[in-house]
Amino acid sequence: MKRDVYVPSMNNGVYTDEEIRQQVSDIIGQELDEGFSLFVPFTSDFGKNLKIGENVFINSGCRFQDQGQIIIGDESLIGHNVVFATINHDYNPSNRGTMYLKPIELKERTWIGSHATILPGVTVGKNSVVAAGSVVTKDVPPDTIVGGNPAKFLAILEDKMK
C-alpha cells in the first residue's frame, strides 16, 4: 500500500530490510532495488527530491536536506551522521532570510565517511572517498580521496589500491 503522506514511524520501531526499503520508497517516490540498505534513523526535509541509485547503503543518523535535490549514484556508501545541505543563505545580512538551493550529486561508487558534511552544489566524482569528518565545499574529482575542513585533496585512489 502506497502512502501519500510520510508517517515517521520508521524511526520509532524495528523493521525488516524490506519494510525499510518500502517506507523509503514511499517517501522518495521511487522504487528502490533489493540492494538498497538503510539503518534508521532516517531524516529528510522533503523526500521527493532524493534520487537513489542501485545497491546504495546509508548508515544511521544521516540528514538529507533535499530541497535543492540530492542524487546518489549506484553502489555508493554513506557513513553515520552524514549531512547533505542543499540550502544556503544570502551573505548580505539584510537578505539573510533569502535561501538558495543547489543540488548535490554523488557519482557511482562514492564513499562518504561518517560525520562528513556535503555543501550545496557539490558533485563527488565516481569512485571517490570523502574522509570522515570532512566538510566538502567544492567538487571532488573522480578517483580521489579528500579530507579535512575544508576538504582538500589527499590522494589518488589508484595509489591506495596498490
Side-chain angles (χ1 to χ4, degrees):
M1 177 177 134
K2 271 223 180 245
R3 292 188 308 262
D4 291 330
V5 177
Y6 168 54
V7 179
S9 63
M10 181 172 68
N11 292 334
N12 297 321
V14 177
Y15 299 96
T16 66
D17 290 342
E18 176 56 35
E19 289 169 327
I20 289 173
R21 190 169 32 257
Q22 188 56 56
Q23 287 186 58
V24 175
S25 292
D26 291 348
I27 292 166
I28 69 173
Q30 170 197 343
E31 287 303 315
L32 296 167
D33 71 300
E34 289 186 18
F36 174 79
S37 182
L38 177 136
F39 292 167
V40 294
F42 169 80
T43 308
S44 174
D45 284 353
F46 187 60
K48 300 297 186 204
N49 291 324
L50 185 55
K51 306 296 178 216
I52 300 174
E54 295 182 355
N55 299 310
V56 167
F57 172 73
I58 300 171
N59 220 322
S60 64
C62 293
R63 177 77 176 122
F64 294 90
Q65 186 188 55
D66 67 314
Q67 293 172 15
Q69 187 176 44
I70 299 168
I71 301 167
I72 302 171
D74 295 346
E75 301 178 30
S76 291
L77 305 174
I78 300 171
H80 291 91
N81 300 312
V82 171
V83 172
F84 293 93
T86 65
I87 300 173
N88 205 353
H89 294 272
D90 197 304
Y91 291 116
N92 182 333
S94 62
N95 295 327
R96 194 78 26 98
T98 302
M99 294 184 287
Y100 301 101
L101 308 176
K102 290 186 180 176
I104 293 171
E105 183 171 6
L106 306 182
K107 298 292 187 178
E108 298 81 18
R109 292 184 296 281
T110 57
W111 175 17
I112 311 300
S114 295
H115 294 277
T117 299
I118 313 295
L119 295 181
V122 167
T123 296
V124 178
K126 185 176 182 179
N127 301 321
S128 290
V129 176
V130 173
S134 297
V135 177
V136 184
T137 61
K138 297 179 181 174
D139 288 352
V140 176
D143 303 305
T144 60
I145 302 171
V146 300
N149 181 4
K152 294 186 180 353
F153 172 82
L154 297 177
I156 295 172
L157 190 58
E158 184 177 289
D159 294 343
K160 295 292 184 185
M161 296 189 308
K162 292 179 181 178

